[in-house]
Each structure stands twice: as structure tokens, then as C-alpha cells.
Amino acid sequence: MMLNEKLLAILSHPNDGAISMVTTGDSGAHLVNTWNNYIEVTADDKLLIPASGYNKTEKNLTKHNAITLSIASREIEGYRGKGTGFIVEGTTRFIKSGPDFDRVKERFSWIRAVLEVTVTSAKQML
């Protein structure tokens, strides 16, 4: 799946925007956040997200491998002027070693893992 140009613009924008990530576990929905410019997009359109905590997120994803992200920016042009956002869905895995882990760890020394998201859909909402 080729990621949308506007979504890539949000992820690479220098002004940080919060990204919300939702997983589902035994106790229902679980929400965590990160910053847009923490996310690296790979050549094959996977999202690499540095993970320090995310322990409950990881536990949830071992049982139900789907994640939903809300990614938005007031700085990127949307349907009706400035401001756009996406609902992104995907499947996941936690990476704890290897080249992707090493590369992200170089930027963020505090990580324990990398949350890799394989995007299955990305729908522009605004």
C-alpha cells in the first residue's frame, strides 16, 4: 500500500503533533500516544515507532494484532483549508533487535523496542 502524500507530510512535519494509538485487550480499548516526527516510514511503507513503555500495548497486540492510529496536523492542507487528519489501521509486531531496531535506537537511545506497523488502510478524515 502506498502511503498518501498528505499523511507523509504530517509524519515529516517539523512541528510536533500528537499521534494516538489504540489497541484492544481483555479490559477493552487501550490508548497511548507518541509524536509525529518520532515515526519513521520505511521504503515499503511500514511505520516504525520507538517504544520505551508500551507494555500494555505489547500485551494487547500479542492477542489481537490490530492497531488504529489517529494522525493529524493543523499545518497540512486538508479538504477545506489548513488542517487534516487520518485514521490509519494496521497489523503490528515489536522489533527488539536487527537493523530497524538499531537505526531507531540511534535516534532514540531510551527505547526498549520498535513498534512496526504494517498499514492496511489510511483514510483521510479532514
Side-chain angles (χ1 to χ4, degrees):
M1 168 178 202
M2 189 65 128
L3 295 181
N4 179 294
E5 182 179 313
K6 286 186 188 284
L7 178 56
L8 293 173
I10 293 170
L11 292 173
S12 65
H13 198 278
N15 288 347
D16 262 339
I19 305 297
S20 298
M21 299 179 281
V22 180
T23 59
T24 304
D26 294 337
S27 58
H30 175 67
L31 179 70
V32 294
N33 295 293
T34 193
W35 301 108
N36 68 311
N37 65 16
Y38 278 18
I39 298 175
E40 178 183 329
V41 180
T42 67
D44 57 351
D45 287 338
K46 292 182 180 176
L47 307 179
L48 302 180
I49 303 169
S52 174
Y54 295 172
N55 295 306
K56 188 170 183 179
T57 300
E58 185 172 18
K59 182 180 176 186
N60 288 348
L61 291 170
T62 61
K63 293 181 179 182
H64 183 68
N65 195 27
I67 194 165
T68 302
L69 297 88
S70 174
I71 302 174
S73 172
R74 295 182 73 171
E75 305 295 323
I76 306 300
E77 196 71 23
Y79 290 134
R80 293 185 172 94
K82 269 205 167 178
T84 191
F86 287 79
I87 299 298
V88 175
E89 295 179 341
T91 58
T92 62
R93 71 180 179 126
F94 274 82
I95 301 170
K96 298 182 179 176
S97 64
D100 286 337
F101 175 83
D102 293 343
R103 190 174 58 256
V104 176
K105 179 101 174 151
E106 280 183 32
R107 286 184 61 206
F108 305 103
S109 62
W110 44 262
I111 69 169
R112 66 171 187 85
V114 174
L115 173 58
E116 179 190 79
V117 178
T118 300
V119 176
T120 56
S121 83
K123 182 177 179 187
Q124 186 174 348
M125 304 303 289
L126 301 170

